[in-house]
Amino acid sequence: MNKVASFSTVIKTEFLKLKKCKVLWGMPLCAFLPDLLVFSMFALNKKFPTVVWETYFTDAIMMINMLIGIGIFSLLAGFIFSREYQENTINSMFTYPIGRIQFFISKLVVMLILISITIMASFILLVLLGLTIKHEPLTLNILLYYTKAYIFMILMHFALIPIIAFLSIYNKSIIPPIVLGVSAITLNLIIMNTPFNTIFPWSIPTILSPHENGRTYTNYTLGIIVLCTTFVIGTILSIKSIKKDVQ
Protein backbone atom coordinates (compact mmCIF):
# COMPACT_ATOMS: atom_id res chain seq x y z
CA MET A 1 0.00 0.00 0.00
CA ASN A 2 2.83 2.42 0.81
CA LYS A 3 4.42 1.88 -2.58
CA VAL A 4 1.11 2.41 -4.36
CA ALA A 5 0.35 5.51 -2.31
CA SER A 6 3.85 6.84 -2.93
CA PHE A 7 3.55 6.28 -6.67
CA SER A 8 0.17 8.02 -6.82
CA THR A 9 1.65 10.91 -4.84
CA VAL A 10 4.49 11.24 -7.33
CA ILE A 11 2.01 11.35 -10.23
CA LYS A 12 -0.09 13.93 -8.39
CA THR A 13 3.04 16.00 -7.80
CA GLU A 14 3.86 15.86 -11.51
CA PHE A 15 0.44 17.29 -12.35
CA LEU A 16 0.84 20.01 -9.72
CA LYS A 17 4.15 20.98 -11.35
CA LEU A 18 2.33 21.35 -14.67
CA LYS A 19 -0.19 23.76 -13.20
CA LYS A 20 -0.07 27.16 -14.96
CA CYS A 21 2.53 25.90 -17.45
CA LYS A 22 2.00 27.61 -20.80
CA VAL A 23 3.14 24.50 -22.67
CA LEU A 24 -0.18 22.85 -21.79
CA TRP A 25 -1.87 25.18 -24.29
CA GLY A 26 -0.54 22.74 -26.86
CA MET A 27 -3.16 20.22 -25.77
CA PRO A 28 -6.27 22.17 -26.87
CA LEU A 29 -4.38 23.20 -30.00
CA CYS A 30 -3.81 19.55 -30.90
CA ALA A 31 -7.31 18.52 -29.84
CA PHE A 32 -9.41 21.24 -31.42
CA LEU A 33 -7.53 22.70 -34.40
CA PRO A 34 -7.89 19.60 -36.63
CA ASP A 35 -11.58 19.33 -35.68
CA LEU A 36 -12.30 22.97 -36.48
CA LEU A 37 -10.47 22.81 -39.80
CA VAL A 38 -12.27 19.64 -40.91
CA PHE A 39 -15.62 20.93 -39.65
CA SER A 40 -15.14 24.21 -41.53
CA MET A 41 -14.36 22.30 -44.71
CA PHE A 42 -17.66 20.42 -44.51
CA ALA A 43 -19.73 23.30 -43.16
CA LEU A 44 -18.55 26.00 -45.59
CA ASN A 45 -17.41 24.18 -48.72
CA LYS A 46 -20.19 23.41 -51.21
CA LYS A 47 -18.18 20.44 -52.47
CA PHE A 48 -19.12 18.70 -49.21
CA PRO A 49 -22.91 19.15 -48.86
CA THR A 50 -23.17 16.25 -46.39
CA VAL A 51 -20.84 14.87 -43.77
CA VAL A 52 -19.59 11.49 -44.94
CA TRP A 53 -18.28 10.11 -41.68
CA GLU A 54 -15.45 8.08 -43.18
CA THR A 55 -13.95 11.11 -44.92
CA TYR A 56 -14.74 13.40 -42.01
CA PHE A 57 -12.96 11.26 -39.40
CA THR A 58 -10.10 10.27 -41.69
CA ASP A 59 -9.16 13.87 -42.49
CA ALA A 60 -8.95 14.77 -38.79
CA ILE A 61 -7.02 11.60 -37.93
CA MET A 62 -4.43 12.24 -40.62
CA MET A 63 -3.95 15.83 -39.50
CA ILE A 64 -3.25 14.71 -35.92
CA ASN A 65 -1.01 11.80 -36.83
CA MET A 66 1.06 13.44 -39.57
CA LEU A 67 1.45 16.95 -38.23
CA ILE A 68 0.00 18.38 -35.05
CA GLY A 69 0.22 15.37 -32.73
CA ILE A 70 3.89 14.72 -33.47
CA GLY A 71 4.90 18.31 -32.73
CA ILE A 72 2.74 18.88 -29.66
CA PHE A 73 3.49 15.56 -27.96
CA SER A 74 7.23 16.02 -28.58
CA LEU A 75 7.02 19.47 -26.98
CA LEU A 76 5.03 18.20 -23.97
CA ALA A 77 7.31 15.22 -23.40
CA GLY A 78 10.43 17.35 -23.79
CA PHE A 79 9.15 19.80 -21.19
CA ILE A 80 8.00 17.16 -18.69
CA PHE A 81 11.17 15.08 -18.80
CA SER A 82 13.68 17.95 -18.91
CA ARG A 83 12.10 20.33 -16.44
CA GLU A 84 14.04 19.22 -13.34
CA TYR A 85 17.30 19.32 -15.28
CA GLN A 86 16.68 22.82 -16.63
CA GLU A 87 15.67 24.11 -13.19
CA ASN A 88 18.61 22.32 -11.49
CA THR A 89 16.32 20.51 -9.07
CA ILE A 90 16.96 16.96 -10.26
CA ASN A 91 19.51 16.03 -7.58
CA SER A 92 17.45 17.44 -4.71
CA MET A 93 14.46 15.38 -5.89
CA PHE A 94 16.23 12.15 -5.02
CA THR A 95 16.89 13.24 -1.44
CA TYR A 96 13.21 12.31 -1.03
CA PRO A 97 12.01 8.68 -1.10
CA ILE A 98 11.49 8.64 -4.86
CA GLY A 99 13.23 5.94 -6.90
CA ARG A 100 14.72 6.80 -10.26
CA ILE A 101 12.59 4.24 -12.09
CA GLN A 102 9.52 5.43 -10.20
CA PHE A 103 10.40 8.99 -11.22
CA PHE A 104 10.59 7.97 -14.89
CA ILE A 105 7.45 5.81 -14.89
CA SER A 106 5.40 8.52 -13.16
CA LYS A 107 6.28 10.93 -15.96
CA LEU A 108 5.35 8.29 -18.55
CA VAL A 109 1.97 7.85 -16.85
CA VAL A 110 1.43 11.61 -16.90
CA MET A 111 2.23 11.68 -20.63
CA LEU A 112 -0.18 8.79 -21.26
CA ILE A 113 -2.94 10.67 -19.44
CA LEU A 114 -2.25 13.90 -21.34
CA ILE A 115 -2.18 12.13 -24.71
CA SER A 116 -5.40 10.27 -23.85
CA ILE A 117 -7.21 13.45 -22.83
CA THR A 118 -6.04 15.30 -25.92
CA ILE A 119 -6.95 12.63 -28.47
CA MET A 120 -10.27 11.58 -26.92
CA ALA A 121 -11.33 15.23 -26.46
CA SER A 122 -10.61 15.71 -30.15
CA PHE A 123 -12.74 12.68 -31.03
CA ILE A 124 -15.69 13.78 -28.90
CA LEU A 125 -15.64 17.34 -30.25
CA LEU A 126 -15.34 16.08 -33.82
CA VAL A 127 -18.46 13.93 -33.40
CA LEU A 128 -20.45 16.75 -31.78
CA LEU A 129 -19.48 19.24 -34.48
CA GLY A 130 -20.37 16.78 -37.23
CA LEU A 131 -23.82 16.26 -35.75
CA THR A 132 -24.60 19.99 -35.98
CA ILE A 133 -24.50 20.02 -39.79
CA LYS A 134 -26.09 17.86 -42.46
CA HIS A 135 -24.69 14.35 -42.11
CA GLU A 136 -25.24 10.77 -43.09
CA PRO A 137 -26.53 8.49 -40.30
CA LEU A 138 -23.98 7.94 -37.56
CA THR A 139 -24.37 4.24 -36.84
CA LEU A 140 -23.09 2.41 -33.78
CA ASN A 141 -20.68 0.44 -35.99
CA ILE A 142 -19.11 3.65 -37.32
CA LEU A 143 -18.85 5.12 -33.83
CA LEU A 144 -17.23 1.98 -32.40
CA TYR A 145 -14.81 1.66 -35.31
CA TYR A 146 -13.46 5.18 -34.92
CA THR A 147 -13.48 4.97 -31.13
CA LYS A 148 -11.12 2.00 -31.45
CA ALA A 149 -9.06 3.90 -34.02
CA TYR A 150 -8.59 6.86 -31.65
CA ILE A 151 -7.68 4.57 -28.73
CA PHE A 152 -5.10 2.86 -30.93
CA MET A 153 -3.75 6.31 -31.85
CA ILE A 154 -3.21 7.02 -28.14
CA LEU A 155 -1.14 3.86 -27.76
CA MET A 156 0.91 4.54 -30.88
CA HIS A 157 1.77 8.12 -29.94
CA PHE A 158 2.56 6.99 -26.40
CA ALA A 159 4.99 4.37 -27.75
CA LEU A 160 7.07 7.24 -29.18
CA ILE A 161 7.42 9.06 -25.86
CA PRO A 162 10.34 7.14 -24.23
CA ILE A 163 12.77 7.96 -27.05
CA ILE A 164 11.83 11.64 -26.69
CA ALA A 165 12.28 11.30 -22.93
CA PHE A 166 15.76 9.89 -23.48
CA LEU A 167 16.76 12.90 -25.58
CA SER A 168 15.45 15.24 -22.87
CA ILE A 169 17.23 13.42 -20.05
CA TYR A 170 20.49 12.81 -21.90
CA ASN A 171 20.78 16.41 -23.13
CA LYS A 172 19.07 17.92 -20.06
CA SER A 173 17.17 20.22 -22.39
CA ILE A 174 13.84 20.63 -24.17
CA ILE A 175 15.54 21.66 -27.42
CA PRO A 176 16.41 18.16 -28.81
CA PRO A 177 12.79 16.93 -28.52
CA ILE A 178 11.60 20.04 -30.36
CA VAL A 179 14.17 19.47 -33.10
CA LEU A 180 13.13 15.82 -33.26
CA GLY A 181 9.46 16.78 -33.57
CA VAL A 182 10.09 19.20 -36.44
CA SER A 183 12.39 16.72 -38.20
CA ALA A 184 9.89 13.89 -37.75
CA ILE A 185 7.08 15.95 -39.30
CA THR A 186 9.27 16.81 -42.29
CA LEU A 187 10.43 13.23 -42.83
CA ASN A 188 6.88 12.00 -42.32
CA LEU A 189 5.70 13.99 -45.32
CA ILE A 190 8.64 12.84 -47.45
CA ILE A 191 8.57 9.08 -46.85
CA MET A 192 4.85 8.49 -46.33
CA ASN A 193 4.39 6.80 -49.71
CA THR A 194 7.68 4.91 -49.74
CA PRO A 195 8.68 1.44 -48.48
CA PHE A 196 10.31 3.17 -45.49
CA ASN A 197 7.01 4.34 -44.00
CA THR A 198 6.70 1.36 -41.65
CA ILE A 199 10.27 1.47 -40.39
CA PHE A 200 10.16 5.18 -39.50
CA PRO A 201 8.38 5.25 -36.10
CA TRP A 202 6.71 8.64 -36.56
CA SER A 203 5.01 7.56 -39.79
CA ILE A 204 3.46 4.48 -38.22
CA PRO A 205 0.51 6.20 -36.43
CA THR A 206 -0.64 7.50 -39.83
CA ILE A 207 -0.03 4.23 -41.66
CA LEU A 208 -1.81 2.06 -39.09
CA SER A 209 -4.76 4.45 -38.65
CA PRO A 210 -7.55 5.12 -41.15
CA HIS A 211 -6.04 7.24 -43.93
CA GLU A 212 -6.99 8.51 -47.36
CA ASN A 213 -6.69 6.23 -50.41
CA GLY A 214 -4.68 3.65 -48.46
CA ARG A 215 -0.93 3.44 -48.90
CA THR A 216 1.05 1.51 -51.49
CA TYR A 217 3.48 0.23 -48.87
CA THR A 218 1.89 -0.90 -45.63
CA ASN A 219 3.26 -3.65 -43.42
CA TYR A 220 1.12 -3.69 -40.29
CA THR A 221 3.10 -6.37 -38.48
CA LEU A 222 6.39 -4.57 -39.10
CA GLY A 223 4.85 -1.29 -37.95
CA ILE A 224 3.78 -2.78 -34.61
CA ILE A 225 7.21 -4.38 -34.12
CA VAL A 226 8.98 -1.07 -34.86
CA LEU A 227 6.76 0.84 -32.41
CA CYS A 228 7.25 -1.74 -29.64
CA THR A 229 11.00 -1.78 -30.24
CA THR A 230 11.12 2.03 -30.15
CA PHE A 231 9.24 2.03 -26.84
CA VAL A 232 11.50 -0.59 -25.23
CA ILE A 233 14.77 0.95 -26.45
CA GLY A 234 13.68 4.43 -25.41
CA THR A 235 12.69 3.19 -21.95
CA ILE A 236 15.99 1.37 -21.41
CA LEU A 237 18.08 4.32 -22.58
CA SER A 238 16.09 6.76 -20.42
CA ILE A 239 16.47 4.70 -17.25
CA LYS A 240 20.19 4.21 -17.87
CA SER A 241 20.62 7.95 -18.40
CA ILE A 242 18.80 8.78 -15.16
CA LYS A 243 20.91 6.30 -13.18
CA LYS A 244 24.13 7.57 -14.75
CA ASP A 245 23.51 11.31 -14.55
CA VAL A 246 21.94 11.50 -11.11
CA GLN A 247 24.30 10.42 -8.34
Side-chain angles (χ1 to χ4, degrees):
M1 288 296 291
N2 290 335
K3 289 184 178 180
V4 174
S6 177
F7 185 67
S8 63
T9 300
V10 174
I11 293 175
K12 182 179 179 181
T13 302
E14 287 297 325
F15 276 109
L16 289 174
K17 285 191 280 186
L18 288 173
K19 200 173 181 181
K20 297 182 181 179
C21 288
K22 294 181 180 180
V23 73
L24 288 182
W25 283 104
M27 289 177 61
L29 177 67
C30 181
F32 304 144
L33 181 59
D35 295 356
L36 294 174
L37 291 175
V38 173
F39 172 75
S40 299
M41 181 177 72
F42 279 86
L44 305 176
N45 194 332
K46 293 182 180 179
K47 292 182 180 179
F48 302 98
T50 303
V51 169
V52 178
W53 291 111
E54 180 180 356
T55 304
Y56 183 74
F57 282 119
T58 299
D59 287 347
I61 287 171
M62 289 187 66
M63 201 174 299
I64 293 173
N65 286 336
M66 290 184 68
L67 301 170
I68 301 174
I70 293 175
I72 296 301
F73 297 145
S74 294
L75 176 64
L76 280 173
F79 176 80
I80 287 172
F81 284 94
S82 68
R83 182 170 183 175
E84 284 80 12
Y85 291 97
Q86 292 188 308
E87 296 177 353
N88 296 316
T89 59
I90 187 68
N91 286 294
S92 62
M93 276 200 65
F94 295 115
T95 60
Y96 299 95
I98 300 173
R100 286 152 175 75
I101 295 178
Q102 185 184 45
F103 168 78
F104 174 73
I105 293 176
S106 68
K107 288 181 179 290
L108 275 185
V109 171
V110 168
M111 274 306 305
L112 177 59
I113 293 171
L114 295 179
I115 291 172
S116 300
I117 291 172
T118 301
I119 290 180
M120 292 314 297
S122 179
F123 174 65
I124 292 169
L125 178 64
L126 190 66
V127 172
L128 294 177
L129 288 174
L131 291 173
T132 64
I133 55 180
K134 188 176 180 181
H135 58 274
E136 66 179 12
L138 179 60
T139 65
L140 181 60
N141 285 339
I142 293 175
L143 198 58
L144 288 176
Y145 175 79
Y146 285 102
T147 299
K148 292 177 183 177
Y150 271 76
I151 292 172
F152 191 38
M153 283 167 58
I154 292 170
L155 298 176
M156 288 189 289
H157 282 284
F158 177 65
L160 300 170
I161 297 303
I163 202 71
I164 300 171
F166 165 68
L167 290 176
S168 301
I169 295 166
Y170 184 80
N171 294 282
K172 303 177 179 62
S173 171
I174 193 177
I175 302 301
I178 294 175
V179 173
L180 174 63
V182 174
S183 301
I185 291 171
T186 304
L187 286 173
N188 212 359
L189 297 172
I190 294 172
I191 70 172
M192 187 56 64
N193 284 311
T194 73
F196 300 103
N197 59 16
T198 43
I199 61 174
F200 181 60
W202 283 266
S203 292
I204 294 172
T206 300
I207 293 299
L208 300 190
S209 295
H211 51 275
E212 288 182 357
N213 303 321
R215 297 292 168 189
T216 306
Y217 309 99
T218 303
N219 187 328
Y220 289 89
T221 302
L222 178 60
I224 296 296
I225 292 172
V226 170
L227 274 182
C228 292
T229 302
T230 302
F231 180 84
V232 171
I233 291 175
T235 299
I236 293 171
L237 291 174
S238 296
I239 292 173
K240 283 187 174 181
S241 292
I242 292 174
K243 289 183 176 180
K244 179 180 177 181
D245 292 344
V246 184
Q247 303 295 336

